Amino acid sequence: MTKLNIPFFDYPDVFKQFEEEFVDTLRSVGRRGAFIMQSDLETFESKLAEFAGVNYAIGVANATDALELLLMADGIKDGDEVIMSAHTMIATASAVRMLGGVPVPVDMADDRNIDTSKIEASITSKTKYIMPTHLNGRIADMQKIVSIARENNLQIVEDSAQSLGARYHGQHGGSFGLGGCISFYPAKVLGCLGDGGAVLTNDEKIYAKIMSLRDHGRSNFGVYESWGRNSRLDNLQAAFLNVQFKRYPHVIERRRAIAAMYGEILSEVHEIGLPPLPDEDHGRFDIFQNFEITASNRDALVAHLREDGIGTLNQWGGLGLNHIRSLGMGKPLEKTDQFFRECTMLPLNFSITNDQIHYVCRSIKRFYGVS
Ligand SMILES: *Cc1c(COP(=O)(O)O)cnc(C)c1O
């Protein structure tokens, strides 16, 4: 077998796939001097809102800012507790903490999202928000979360950084509560050439507030309405995103096809725990930001794959929020603790070919002695 080289994510390929159009775009934006809050950004925001099935999309500097801006716009206060999955990025928690709130990690479920049966036990008199992460491109169990939020008078802010285009009974992330965030970090499903993010919301007041907050608290007419900050999505990044967005539905289809291939081949390997596969559940449309497996003898498997030239990644550097003791979030959570001993992610991106996927699967089968 010839050895291949399959990086977990091919960063140069983000550029190369659209090289000609990106260079033309840079020339167009540069010659127009259209750098900050120009037509390319407006075009992108309206296309994004339409695609994401929400009334408003606001381009901001990154998804972490998007989460902070949503909480700020709603008026989060010192000491407000925010319930979130332990299996999420530090950004979900830091957005809360940087505004004086308290992140409260809750155990995860088998589908990698928050275990909704464990939310109620974490609610106290200080709880104000539930912040579900739609992890790996799969919407959390929002029917349950919406009903818990209603009963307990809590607001919902969605970390939908990984789930642009994912649906739950037809409904998109960002539309279940106050709003959600999207990340355009290069390795995200819709990644730009640097940092970028967006807020999605159906709420007109939140929209107006964030439009002003992201631009120093100014209104369209330059009136200072409140204190604010600078968190604008560069017009150049928006212009690059407009180029890539045309292909986005096709990208999602390809990612789902890759997930189905991995799922079908690896279902023969009993040492591997698979994520929910496409069309396994008719209420869900998952976009597979990641293909996150569990594997017995994980570290040895990862080393074996590396020998075969295959890159993997243990999400969040291999730590759930509840494992970050240095930030005061340390506590045992049974499912999350077990999961992080066994989990890793296989390469799944637009650059990878079917032959490469077969190569990855053959390597895994060889490791476990499955023919
Ligand atoms: C990537 C990511 C973020 C942060 O996005 P940035 O644009 O890098 O700020 C937040 N939450 C989750 C779940 C993510 O995957």
Side-chain angles (χ1 to χ4, degrees), residues 58 92 95 105 107 118 142 152 184 187 225 317:
I58 308 159
T92 326
D107 214 356
K118 294 182 181 155
M142 291 313 293
N152 296 278
F184 307 120
E225 299 173 318

Side-chain angles (χ1 to χ4, degrees), residues 253-294:
E253 280 318 313
R254 175 68 187 148
R255 295 186 86 101
R256 287 169 55 81
I258 295 170
M261 276 179 74
Y262 272 137
E264 192 183 323
I265 305 171
L266 295 177
S267 64
E268 298 163 30
V269 185
H270 300 301
E271 291 86 350
I272 297 287
L274 294 170
L277 299 174
D279 301 321
E280 203 171 286
D281 154 0
H282 292 296
R284 290 301 215 305
F285 182 85
D286 299 349
I287 64 155
F288 294 91
Q289 163 68 53
N290 298 306
F291 196 81
E292 191 171 41
I293 60 169
T294 57

